[in-house]
Structures are given as C-alpha cells and as structure tokens.
Amino acid sequence: MTDIESRIDTSRPHTARIWNYWTGGKDNYPVDREAGDRIRELHPGIGEYAKADRLFLGRAVRHMAGREGVRQFLDIGTGLPSADNTHEVAQRVAPDARVVYVDNDPLVLAHARALLVGTPEGATDYLDADLRDVDTILAAAAKTLDLSKPVALMLLGVVIFVEDDEESYGVVRRFMDALAPGSHLVLSHTVTHPDMPDVDAAVAFWNEHGTPKLTQRTPEAVARYFDGLELLEPGVVSCSAWRPERPAPDVAMYAGVGRK
C-alpha cells in the first residue's frame, strides 16, 4: 500500500467521493453512497449541484481560453477526475494551455495520473497541498506556470472548507495579489438562502457525519471574494445561471468570474 492509499479513510463519507457518486462516477465507497442518498432525501435537488458546477467550469474555462486569451490555469481543490477537466476544456480551445492542479485529498492524488495527460503543446502538473498553503502552491506552480503572465485561478467549491470568513477572504486575496494583471478569479461556493431551507438541513447533516466540514455563506458574502476585481457579467449568480447555453434551474451554488 502506498503512502497516499494509506491516507484514504473509507469509514467516513468524503465530499469529493459523494460528488463523484452524484455525477455517476465509480470512485466512491458504500459509506459515501449512503450519505449521498441521505443528503438527497433532505434536499432532492442537491445532486444537480455537482453537475451544474461542472458545467459552469466548462463555460468559464472556455471563456478564459477563448475570449480572454488566458493560457495558464491554477485549479485548486480540483476534486476527482471526471469528464471535461480544466486541462481538457482549455486545451481543446488552446492546445498550448498550461494547467496546474492542486488538491490534498488522497483519493484525488491516487488518480493524479489521469490528470497529467495533456496535449504535447501544453503542460499539466499536480501538487499535493492545502488551499491555505499559498506560498507553497505559488512556488511549486511557478515551475509550470509563468506567474508574470495572466493566470486563471480556479476555486470551485473549495473555500467552503475554510471556516473563518476573514481567513478565507485573505487566502483568496493573497493568491490574486501574487498574480499578474489580466489574471482572473473563477470561484463557486455553496450558499445559504431563505428560499432554500432544505439546503441548510443537508449541510447540517453533512457536517455531523462527513468530512471535511463545510461553511455556507450568503450570496452577498460570496460576492466579497471579488472585491477589487472587475466582475464579469452577469455577476455572482447561481452557477447554472452564469452564461448558460440553455435555461436551467437555479442551484444553491453561486459563482462568478472576476478580472484583475
């Protein structure tokens, strides 16, 4: 058993594996499927969040690599490999795109090989690090990315795991301060909303039984992550409403894209 495999805990449900289950993946365990089904009972629409978030990723990356001309992506908290990972989307638009993935989940790390296959013209790399390790991530990412040129910082469903508000805002600011003008922040975050009380119940169940625990924030609090950036239209909205290719129901996962 490798060191990475020894870190995989199959006795407690894990968020990355539950999202994998909800999107039809096979990288999950009975404990994850049981928790996923229970959460779906509390909030029947929650299984659509993972799908909506993945579709948002695709639209945002295509916009970055296409209209914005961004060729470098730093994807932190990437989660388990699935269809249309960041490098696949970006390199279909721009084969020379360079992507660095960052995660500290052992099951994700065990699947890193699947993420490291990109185009010959571009590059992909993978880092084992925590979102809070800003300096470590930037130093390692600089081996693949040119940080003097624009980078798209991808933080999809990851700052929810930083409980303290000011710490979470500070982490995002430190990354953006270190990136070149023309860089973009692409962020999504689970929200609490009075119109969606069943979401709160599902999150409460998760925080009692699962790992890692997550923090909901209001849509207004999510918008604060983009302070000092030029927020692209349509602003911070349900990720299913960010430049959709076809109408889709709102989900309690809000997202936005901001330009430095």
Side-chain angles (χ1 to χ4, degrees), residues 132 159 161-170 215 217 225:
R132 300 172 182 85
V159 292
F161 301 119
V162 182
E163 181 178 3
D164 183 81
D165 287 344
E166 294 311 312
E167 181 184 12
S168 71
Y169 293 129
T215 299
R217 294 182 171 92
Y225 289 105

Side-chain angles (χ1 to χ4, degrees), residues 85-239:
N85 298 289
T86 296
H87 77 279
E88 294 168 321
V89 178
Q91 291 175 351
R92 277 200 295 269
V93 178
D96 60 337
R98 307 175 74 82
V99 180
V100 173
Y101 293 102
V102 183
D103 209 295
N104 66 347
D105 175 70
L107 189 62
V108 175
L109 295 171
H111 288 75
R113 288 183 184 272
L115 291 172
L116 293 173
V117 180
T119 60
E121 302 94 327
T124 59
D125 198 4
Y126 199 96
L127 307 178
D128 177 4
D130 185 274
L131 169 67
R132 300 172 182 85
D133 299 332
V134 177
D135 294 337
T136 299
I137 291 172
L138 290 171
K143 298 175 182 178
T144 302
L145 308 179
D146 181 351
L147 300 186
S148 69
K149 297 179 179 178
V151 174
L153 174 64
M154 313 288 295
L155 298 176
L156 302 190
V158 64
V159 292
I160 60 176
F161 301 119
V162 182
E163 181 178 3
D164 183 81
D165 287 344
E166 294 311 312
E167 181 184 12
S168 71
Y169 293 129
V171 165
V172 175
R173 280 195 299 271
R174 286 175 62 197
F175 274 112
M176 292 309 298
D177 285 348
L179 298 179
S183 293
H184 289 71
L185 170 64
V186 182
L187 181 145
S188 67
H189 197 299
T190 304
V191 299
T192 180
H193 196 289
D195 293 340
M196 302 176 178
D198 48 346
V199 177
D200 297 348
V203 170
F205 174 86
W206 172 255
N207 283 342
E208 182 179 353
H209 299 281
T211 183
K213 299 186 186 306
L214 62 88
T215 299
Q216 292 168 279
R217 294 182 171 92
T218 65
E220 294 77 17
V222 176
R224 275 191 59 193
Y225 289 105
F226 297 93
D227 284 357
L229 303 177
E230 177 189 352
L231 192 60
L232 275 57
E233 292 294 337
V236 176
V237 295
S238 170
C239 62

Side-chain angles (χ1 to χ4, degrees), residues 1-8:
M1 178 180 293
T2 67
D3 176 62
I4 288 176
E5 290 172 332
S6 70
R7 290 163 51 190
I8 299 174

